[in-house]
Structures are given as structure tokens and as C-alpha cells.
Amino acid sequence: MLILDGRAVSFAEARDIERRHVEAAAADGDPDRYMRQVAEKVADRVRYLSDPLAWLWNIPEAAAISRLRDDIGLDEAAARIEDLDTCVVAFVGGGDNGGDALYACALLAEQGMVVTAFLLKPTCHARGLAAAREAGVGIVELGGRSLRSIEGTPEWGTICGARLWIDGIVGIGSRGPLVGELADTVTCLNDAMRAHPKKVIAIDVPSGLTDDDGAVRGPILRATHTLAVGTYKRAQILPPAVEYSGEVRLMRMYWSEVATSTHPDADGTIGAGDIYYYDDEYRAHSAVPVPAFSDDKYARGVVGLVAGSDTYPGAGILATRGALAAGVGMVRLNSTRRVQDLVLADQPGVVMIGGRIQAALIGPGLDEERREDALELAQFCGQSGMPLVIDAWALDLVPELLGSLTPDATVLTPHYGEAARLLSALGTPITKREVAASPLRYARALHEATGCHIVLKGPVTIVYSFEYVAVDAEENSATSLDGTENGADTRSELTCVYEPTVSAPSTSWAGIAGNGDVLAGFIAGILARASARASASSRSQCVTSARLSAAVCLHARAAYAAANQQNGGAPIQASDIVAAIPAVLADRRP
């Protein structure tokens, strides 16, 4: 099982957590203690994003300017000083989120920054406002009007000229989409940001993001950075709304751990409705271990591929390279002569005859002429319980394969369009647009229809996976099949535990042909390595959420690294992504 810091919570759960801690602070005679703690972390992040150099020195702005002149020269310092003089603007609503923003503004003003707060409601958090006024924060009162009412004024110039905005309009207490003047204000700000790009820090959630499953139901203020208070929220990390969150960073509080219950649901499973945010490269690296001193090619794992065709020859190369990037000892490729020749020219160590394998992949670049080869390998894996990845064209074979697959050893890797097509073939007519609007829901639906593990590819990738564990009711703990301590020997004595994850966003440059072939091959390679290490015990489960999530995380990091080799992002191809995987793996090695 994964050992994560905690699942992403719903808005209702987050409100309950916050209420309990606010009430505890009030009982101690300090009702704003929680709010000031949040404000301190927001102000710290604003200072860093405004000027990392001054933040690292932890000195006032005037001293930073003087140090700049001494360290980097007058001309370069002049350019930096111009940036330092640009003010920070906060947009303040009437609730506690606005109070967080006002206290943050006060701290920033006390530290020498030029700060202006725009009050969007007739009333706001009184003590926060008093602190902001006392610290010298500029206050602009809108009295409930939309920001459009001040377009063309000096105050509007302050908004457009600011280098950074703080979004304190509404937070987790808001219910339903924004309407009226607030909706118009958010739309106006999004328009202004397109014309005048800047950093936008959302406190907890971008204003207008209120749907637990990440649906976009109204205007949302687009953030470049979101500071999740205490715990991740489902809405921050799930597509499609994750597009509005920007870089999500956990703002750790002393109560940040949110335990996952190990009590079975009515159907005997645990965690089927949960979601976790997976962005831990250190944990991911454990899925691709350094080979032991005595490991030969079979001990490192062998992958069998049915991939590529004369119609789509490149997919065979990319899937092969993806599998090899996982550090397997051998790849056996079943493909056409043309694809074999291309692969051997690229990777001469690939073997073109059948034999012993420890995981398999079917689908990338196949066409109807390759159907029988794909079916034969899938059926072999189903009979033997060997890990199998089904991707791309082969996903259309799933309805006829269902009776012969081993679901807990099978991974389906569709993108949104393939997921819609497969669900429709399985009796749930759905469109690609509907899947894109609620991908977690349909990843779960695919699992429920097939019993298989699901890797639903999109702007961020959802892994809907499970593991059989022995649950000790008295200890309220769970032990995985790979480390069972409770002596359970059969699946009938185990509980199905779900740990669905959503990956951290990678780069928009990754949406290219062949990228899915690389990921499918990489997943198959990681599963082959796990299968090679597993004992012969029937309790061992090689396909787990930990391994699938690690593969997705490392692949995403490789795409990001490839795109950022040219100082901030450049067009890439699938071959660039697979070429970057070794460097990503080496980067975190001790």
C-alpha cells in the first residue's frame, strides 16, 4: 500500500476541520490565531515569489536593494529595484478567506512591501481590516460593486501594474458557483491577467472553485500558485478544475495529517471514494530500484510486447524504449518485420522471439492485422496471472477478453476518448466530453465495469487502483500482500483497499503523439521488475497503486524535464520524454 500523508478532503470535511480549530482558538481567547497562522505562511510565500533573493536573506526591502547594489552591480540592481517597487494587490471578500488575506497584507506592509487591498464586499473581517490599516496597507472599498466599475481609473492601474495578486475573495466556505458582482469581478480579473500576466496566489482554493469533483460550474479566478491550508482539497487537484489551481503547495499546519479509515464499506471494500495527491519523487523512485549485484537479465524482469504495425511503426519503438527505461533486463517484441527492423536499429538488444517474460503490454500502434497476436498474449497473461497492460487499439478488445483476464493483474490505460468508447462498448454510453468533465467518476466506472486497474490519461492522470490487504480490525491497520504480517493466505481472507491517486500536473507540451506509448511501456517495465522480485506466494500482488502512481509520476517529471531543457519550456516529442527518464531517475538517487 501507499503510505501517503493523507487523502484530499471534501469541502465539507475541510470546513469541519477548520471549525474545530477556530473554536479551540476562540476558547483560548484568541479567535484569530488560526487566521494569523495562515496569513504568516501566505505572506512568506508572497515574499518568496516577489523576490527570492530578499526572501532568502530574510531582510527588509531597503537592505535587499543595498545588498543587490553591492553584489551584482548598479545596472542589474536597477532592473531588480524596479520590480521590487511594484506593489502587491489583494482582493478581499467578506468571509474568513478575506480575513486571511488582510492579515497577510498587514504582515507584508510591516516588512516594507507596498500593498493595496481591494474590499469587494460592503463588510469584511473587522479585526483583519484594522490590522491592515494599522500596518499601512492601502485600502480601496468597492462597496459591493464589480471591479469593472473602476476600469480606467488609477486604482485599476494599480491592479494591472501589480506584480502579484492575492486571491482572498472566497474560500472553502463558499457553496455553489459565483454569481452577480463577484462572478463579474472574477471574469474581469481573468481578462486583465491575460493582458497583464502576473503571479496569483490563491489562499486554499481559487475563488469560484466549489465542486468536490473538480467540475467547473462558473467563473474561477485562475491562480498560478495555490496554497492548500493543512490538507489538499479534492477540488484543487482534480481535472478539469485543476487547470485553475496552478502550482499546488501544501501549507502544513500542526493538524495536517488526515487519516484514511480502514473500516470496510458496506460492500467490504475500503477507500473506493477517496483520492490522494501524488507528487513525491522520492517515493516514486522505489518502483525502479537499482539492480542487486548478482541480478541477471531475468532477475531484472523481462517484458513481452505486442506493439507497432506497418500502419503505426513508431509506436513499437516508443513502447520498447519506455519499457527499457524502467531498467528491465530484456524486451521481447512481437511485431511486423518493418517494426522489428526499426526497433533493432534503435535498440539492438531487443529480442524478436518468444520466451520467458514477467509482464506484458499489448496495444500501442496495433491494427486489425495484429488482433490474433494481441489476443493470444492477453489470454496467456489471464491464465497465468501475469501483469498485463492494455493500451490504445487493444482497449477495443477488452469486452471480448473480460472472461479470460485476471483483473487484479491487468491495467487499462485509456485517454478520455478511449475511455468513452470502452464504457460505451461495455453498456454505459458516454462521450469524451463527459469523461473530461468528471474523469475520477469515469475512472471508477471503468474499474467497476472491468475489475481492472485504471490509468486514465489526461492533463493530469488518474490512477484508480486497489490492493488486497489483511485488515486487523482491532489495530485498525492494514498490511499489503507484499508485506503481510497477519498470516492471511487466501484472497477470501483479505480486504480490497483502494488508494486512487491524481498526479501532479506536468507540462502542456506533453500532449503529443506517442507519449502514451512511452507511458504504457514504462508501466509494463516497472511491473516486470516487480514480478521478477515477487515471491511465488499466491498472496503477492505485483500491480499496485504504489507502482502505477510511481510510473505516472516519473513519466510526468520526465516530460517536464524535457520541456525545460531550453530555459523554461520548449516543444518536445515523445522520444525526448523517454530519453529524459534516466536523468529523472538519477536525480533522486542517494
Side-chain angles (χ1 to χ4, degrees), residues 556-588:
R557 291 302 304 164
Y560 182 85
N564 281 273
Q565 287 182 349
Q566 302 298 324
N567 297 323
I572 55 175
Q573 298 301 318
S575 57
D576 300 317
I577 296 173
V578 71
I581 291 176
V584 169
L585 291 172
D587 185 50
R588 297 297 182 184

Side-chain angles (χ1 to χ4, degrees), residues 249-420:
R249 181 179 292 264
L250 184 63
M251 185 191 300
R252 290 195 174 275
M253 309 294 281
Y254 62 89
W255 46 266
S256 286
E257 302 299 323
V258 178
T260 299
S261 172
T262 56
H263 293 292
D265 300 330
D267 61 357
T269 64
I270 293 173
D274 291 346
I275 188 73
Y276 295 82
Y277 188 54
Y278 193 99
D279 64 347
D280 190 333
E281 291 176 63
Y282 290 96
R283 181 184 287 113
H285 278 68
S286 65
V288 190
V290 175
F293 178 76
S294 60
D295 280 354
D296 61 13
K297 57 181 175 288
Y298 295 107
R300 288 174 57 174
V302 181
V303 181
L305 304 182
V306 177
S309 63
D310 289 345
T311 309
Y312 306 106
I317 300 173
L318 293 169
T320 298
R321 293 185 66 190
L324 290 169
V328 297
M330 185 192 301
V331 169
R332 297 185 186 273
L333 176 64
N334 178 338
S335 195
T336 65
R337 176 58 64 87
R338 180 187 180 200
V339 174
Q340 290 176 345
D341 290 344
L342 290 170
V343 169
L344 287 173
D346 183 68
Q347 301 291 333
V350 175
V351 176
M352 302 299 172
I353 59 174
R356 176 181 172 185
I357 61 173
Q358 286 135 330
L361 164 64
I362 62 172
L366 298 189
D367 56 21
E368 189 63 29
E369 293 184 2
R370 308 297 322 286
R371 169 185 285 269
E372 292 306 316
D373 289 334
L375 287 172
E376 181 179 356
L377 183 54
Q379 289 161 355
F380 169 77
C381 290
Q383 292 166 3
S384 63
M386 183 179 296
L388 170 67
V389 180
I390 304 180
D391 183 52
W393 182 90
L395 289 164
D396 290 339
L397 303 179
V398 169
E400 66 182 283
L401 282 170
L402 278 183
S404 58
L405 294 174
T406 301
D408 62 9
T410 303
V411 185
L412 310 182
T413 59
H415 56 56
Y416 291 167
E418 291 164 342

